């Protein structure tokens, strides 16, 4: 009888431990973090930096689940997933924000931002506060930080003498399927063709598109250099991606938890930014070694063409008055 009682007591203790562990697991805050970028991309690797830093700051409090390569939601669908509550975090481009809030199309203009530090200076200014509040109110997401995506260049399937935007006439240039991205493609003088990121490699290989535009680290990570012959260093967009969390999740966090999530996001962007800048310096020679021709066009001609294209079209009428000058003043 005594042995039976001891056995029951042991089972009860085991059950209590199991239930306690289960309760603890249930109490963890789930953060499904989704992206279209491939595992080798620095943005994907930065998501792991975020998860590790958050675990360091809040041990056992969060369950960060990372989904790359569009495995959970395809590019363009991840924002909807955030707003529906089917995912908690993702990278959101300024182009996608502009599609939802046209006045912020200003942030997508070619040749506006000068560096990753410039992006952050704007985000932490009074302009940035107004921008983030309106994004929160109208898109139901909270911006944590902005990560450097890189300086975008043109990557051509076949070699072409490109000096000015006129030399891109008729070139089918892949762009993400948003109005802001397609407008940039037009401003560069090309024929923009919307295509999901995951289909770009095959489209270049088969000739469905003639070119794609991305920062050099993305060209390497996605192996586009295997199916292209030239990189044209237009430097047309110093690009950034915001890290966003949906408001429902954000508002449920304590102030301490919010501070930790923000600190982890900043740490991941710091890591990403340092890596991307050093990678860009290395990659020009790497692509030459792979047999690609790397050329520099008349950047001044591209800059003038792109800026005139933006300012002379009606979308610029929505831009907040005086913000271009104020953004220029914030350049480090």
């Amino acid at each position: 009888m005594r042995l039976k009682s001891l056995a029951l007591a042991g089972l009860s203790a085991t059950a209590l431990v199991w239930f306690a562990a289960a309760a603890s697991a249930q109490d963890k805050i789930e953060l499904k973090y989704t992206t279209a970028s491939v595992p080798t991309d620095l943005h994907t690797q930065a998501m792991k930096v975020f998860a590790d830093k958050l675990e360091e700051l809040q041990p056992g409090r969060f369950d960060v689940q990372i989904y790359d390569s569009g495995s959970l939601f395809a590019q363009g669908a991840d924002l909807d997933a955030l707003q529906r509550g089917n995912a908690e975090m993702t990278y959101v481009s300024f182009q996608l924000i502009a599609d939802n809030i046209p006045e912020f199309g200003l942030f997508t203009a070619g040749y506006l931002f000068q560096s990753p530090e410039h992006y952050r200076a704007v985000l932490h200014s009074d302009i940035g506060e107004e921008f983030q509040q309106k994004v929160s109110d109208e898109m139901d997401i909270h911006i944590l930080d902005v990560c450097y995506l890189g300086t975008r260049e043109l990557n051509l399937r076949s070699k072409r003498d490109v000096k000015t935007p006129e030399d891109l006439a008729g070139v089918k240039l892949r762009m993400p399927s948003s109005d802001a991205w397609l407008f940039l493609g037009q401003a560069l003088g090309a024929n923009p063709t919307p295509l999901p990121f995951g289909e770009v490699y095959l489209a270049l290989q088969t000739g469905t598109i003639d070119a794609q535009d991305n920062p050099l680290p993305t060209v390497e990570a996605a192996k586009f250099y295997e199916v292209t012959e030239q990189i044209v260093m237009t430097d047309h967009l110093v690009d950034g991606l915001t890290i966003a969390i949906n408001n429902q999740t954000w508002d449920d966090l304590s102030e301490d938890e919010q501070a930790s999530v923000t600190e982890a996001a900043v740490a991941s962007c710091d890591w990403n930014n340092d890596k991307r800048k050093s990678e860009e310096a290395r990659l020009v020679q790497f692509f030459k070694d792979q047999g690609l021709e790397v050329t520099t066009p008349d950047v001044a001609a591209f800059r003038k063409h792109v800026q005139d294209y933006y300012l002379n079209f009606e979308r610029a009428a929505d831009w907040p008055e005086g913000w271009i000058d104020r953004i220029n003043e914030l350049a480090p």
Side-chain angles (χ1 to χ4, degrees), residues 146-179:
V146 57
C147 290
Y148 181 46
L149 179 58
T151 299
R152 299 181 81 94
E153 317 291 359
L154 296 181
N155 184 202
L156 307 184
R157 181 174 184 265
S158 301
K159 292 178 184 178
R160 189 183 185 98
D161 185 20
V162 178
K163 292 291 189 293
T164 69
E166 288 72 22
D167 296 323
L168 293 177
V171 171
K172 292 178 289 184
L173 172 63
R174 176 268 171 182
M175 284 289 185
S177 54
S178 79
D179 288 342

Side-chain angles (χ1 to χ4, degrees), residues 89-110:
M89 292 181 63
T90 193
Y91 292 109
V92 178
S93 69
F94 285 96
Q95 288 76 13
L96 198 51
I97 291 171
D99 286 348
N100 286 267
I101 310 175
E103 68 189 82
F104 293 145
L106 168 70
F107 289 96
T108 71

Side-chain angles (χ1 to χ4, degrees), residues 235-278:
D235 294 346
H236 56 272
L237 188 68
V238 176
D239 202 8
L241 281 175
T242 68
I243 300 181
I245 183 171
N246 64 40
N247 281 348
Q248 179 182 348
T249 302
W250 179 253
D251 292 341
D252 284 344
L253 299 178
S254 68
E255 288 186 9
D256 183 53
E257 290 164 346
Q258 288 180 346
S260 294
V261 168
T262 301
E263 185 176 343
V266 170
S268 72
C269 284
D270 284 343
W271 181 90
N272 167 84
N273 294 0
D274 288 343
K275 291 286 187 181
R276 282 195 178 268
K277 285 187 285 187
S278 63

